[in-house]
């Protein structure tokens, strides 16, 4: 269990507000922090990583205090068991892919994990390449593998896929979900991408000006009591749920999630992440997959 109860005065764009959070994350949960820019999302990750000190409060991870203002406990970043991945790759340019991963191993760490990570992340054929010769998606996979090499208790992701195109983002989402499950991680993601959140997250905390204003499953936060519809629209398929003789589809259209009912036959060919068009057909929606381009 991760217990976070912290307070800190923040200033964003000349506006001062109080970050005051009480968050409890169950082990092996994939959770997301969502909210507008300047809400305190990245500051929270930095507090967990030991890069920013809270004004007061406590951070307890699996029964161990990482920070406690009353007991004057503040573990340095290197002792917190955190893997941290930012949007920027921050790889060592003078090291190969394998050397970047080896550098992240703690003294006496099991080097066999490097081969495991190279395989899981699809980097085995690139292990002797330098970062400058890799694509953005490949570099981000290296950054993620490096964060996992020390076998962290907590994986922190600060919009790591925001700069990638849609297809690469979906592929890396699959990699992220695989390593989250295989390593039994507790993962905390900061993201503005609703499709990404739907695909990966079990629980969402919505932040606004330093406060949690809503939390729950993606269904609760983005769909429940927020359903709207149109006669014709295109979007990204977020979820499909069979319900007896029909299938309920959740489609992201702009910044809105639309829930529509489809036949199971129509939904069978659809995969989460597909770009789709929904059109009216005698008051019943018809959902069609769109070809790329």
């Amino acid at each position: 269990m991760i217990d976070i109860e912290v307070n800190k005065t923040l200033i964003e764009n000349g506006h001062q507000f109080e970050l005051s959070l009480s968050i409890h994350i169950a082990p092996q949960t994939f959770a997301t922090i969502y909210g507008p820019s300047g809400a305190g999302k990245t500051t929270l990750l930095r507090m967990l990583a030991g890069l920013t000190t809270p004004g007061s409060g406590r951070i307890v991870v699996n029964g161990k205090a990482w920070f406690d203002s009353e007991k004057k406990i503040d573990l340095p970043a290197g002792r917190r068991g955190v893997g941290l991945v930012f949007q920027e790759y921050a790889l060592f340019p003078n090291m190969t892919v394998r050397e970047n991963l080896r550098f992240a191993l703690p003294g006496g760490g099991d080097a066999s994990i490097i081969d495991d990570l190279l395989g899981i992340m699809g980097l085995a054929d690139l292990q002797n390449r330098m970062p400058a010769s890799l694509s953005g998606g490949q570099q981000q996979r290296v950054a993620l593998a490096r964060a996992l090499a020390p076998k962290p208790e907590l994986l922190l992701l600060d919009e790591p896929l925001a700069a990638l195109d849609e297809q690469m983002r979906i592929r890396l989402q699959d990699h992220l979900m695989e390593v989250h499950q295989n390593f039994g991680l507790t993962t905390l993601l900061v993201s503005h991408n609703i499709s990404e959140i739907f695909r990966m997250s079990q629980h969402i905390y919505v932040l606004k000006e330093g406060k949690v204003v809503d939390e729950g499953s993606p269904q609760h936060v983005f769909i429940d009591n927020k359903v709207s519809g149109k006669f014709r629209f295109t979007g990204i398929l977020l979820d499909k749920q069979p319900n007896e003789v029909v299938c309920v589809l959740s489609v992201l259209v702009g910044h809105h999630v639309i829930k529509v009912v489809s036949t199971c036959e129509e939904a069978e060919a659809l995969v989460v992440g597909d770009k789709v068009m929904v059109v009216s057909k005698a008051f019943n929606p018809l959902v069609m997959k769109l070809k790329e381009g």
Side-chain angles (χ1 to χ4, degrees):
M1 180 67 73
I2 299 175
D3 298 306
I4 307 164
E5 297 177 1
V6 293
N7 296 276
K8 188 177 180 66
T9 301
L10 301 180
I11 299 177
E12 293 284 347
N13 299 321
H15 171 60
Q16 180 174 302
F17 63 95
E18 191 72 17
L19 178 73
S20 181
L21 300 175
S22 180
I23 293 175
H24 307 280
I25 305 173
Q28 300 185 20
T29 297
F30 198 120
T32 293
I33 304 294
Y34 176 82
S37 298
K41 303 184 301 295
T42 295
T43 298
L44 172 59
L45 293 197
R46 291 180 59 85
M47 287 179 177
L48 290 168
L51 303 176
T52 295
T53 302
S56 62
R58 57 198 290 271
I59 298 171
V60 180
V61 178
N62 298 327
K64 183 178 181 180
W66 287 4
F67 176 81
D68 191 315
S69 57
E70 290 187 0
K71 297 180 179 179
K72 302 189 184 304
I73 296 173
D74 189 6
L75 288 186
R79 293 176 54 197
R80 292 200 178 198
V82 165
L84 183 59
V85 182
F86 291 102
Q87 184 175 334
E88 299 79 18
Y89 314 124
L91 301 175
F92 296 111
N94 60 333
M95 295 183 182
T96 65
V97 169
R98 174 174 281 274
E99 288 169 343
N100 264 277
L101 270 61
R102 186 185 300 124
F103 185 85
L105 278 179
D110 183 2
S112 67
I113 193 175
I114 293 178
D115 291 323
D116 293 339
L117 288 168
L118 289 172
I120 291 172
M121 301 303 294
L123 296 168
D125 293 340
L126 306 175
Q127 61 182 297
N128 296 315
R129 298 260 299 268
M130 307 299 283
S133 70
L134 304 177
S135 69
Q138 290 167 340
Q139 290 187 57
Q140 194 59 289
R141 278 185 279 159
V142 177
L144 177 60
R146 186 179 63 181
L148 294 169
K151 296 183 178 179
E153 292 183 78
L154 178 61
L155 179 62
L156 304 176
L157 306 170
D158 193 358
E159 299 195 76
L161 311 182
L164 304 176
D165 64 58
E166 184 176 304
Q167 290 186 339
M168 178 58 66
R169 218 168 37 236
I170 290 173
R171 287 200 291 270
L172 286 189
Q173 288 165 11
D174 291 336
H175 282 300
L176 278 170
M177 289 187 287
E178 182 178 359
V179 297
H180 170 79
Q181 294 169 358
N182 288 354
F183 284 75
L185 293 169
T186 302
T187 302
L188 189 58
L189 167 74
V190 166
S191 178
H192 289 98
N193 188 302
I194 297 177
S195 174
E196 181 171 277
I197 295 170
F198 251 90
R199 291 198 75 212
M200 298 194 294
S201 296
Q202 298 162 282
H203 199 89
I204 306 171
Y205 300 90
V206 181
L207 260 62
K208 185 175 182 180
E209 293 195 339
K211 308 291 190 300
V212 175
V213 296
D214 196 7
E215 68 171 282
S217 67
Q219 171 84 20
H220 165 76
V221 171
F222 294 119
I223 296 180
D224 290 350
N225 301 319
K226 303 178 180 69
V227 177
S228 61
K230 296 180 181 179
F231 284 107
R232 180 186 182 97
F233 54 80
T234 61
I236 303 298
L237 181 65
L238 300 181
D239 187 39
K240 60 178 186 178
Q241 295 293 332
N243 185 2
E244 297 181 353
V245 297
V246 298
C247 190
V248 180
L249 306 179
S250 298
V251 181
L252 177 65
V253 182
H255 296 290
H256 300 284
V257 178
I258 310 300
K259 183 186 289 185
V260 296
V261 175
S262 173
T263 67
C264 292
E265 289 78 9
E266 289 173 333
E268 187 175 358
L270 301 175
V271 177
V272 170
D274 280 347
K275 186 175 182 180
V276 298
M277 176 182 290
V278 182
V279 297
S280 60
K281 185 180 68 173
F283 302 106
N284 294 316
L286 172 65
V287 184
M288 301 177 293
K289 182 175 178 177
L290 294 177
K291 295 181 179 179
E292 296 298 328

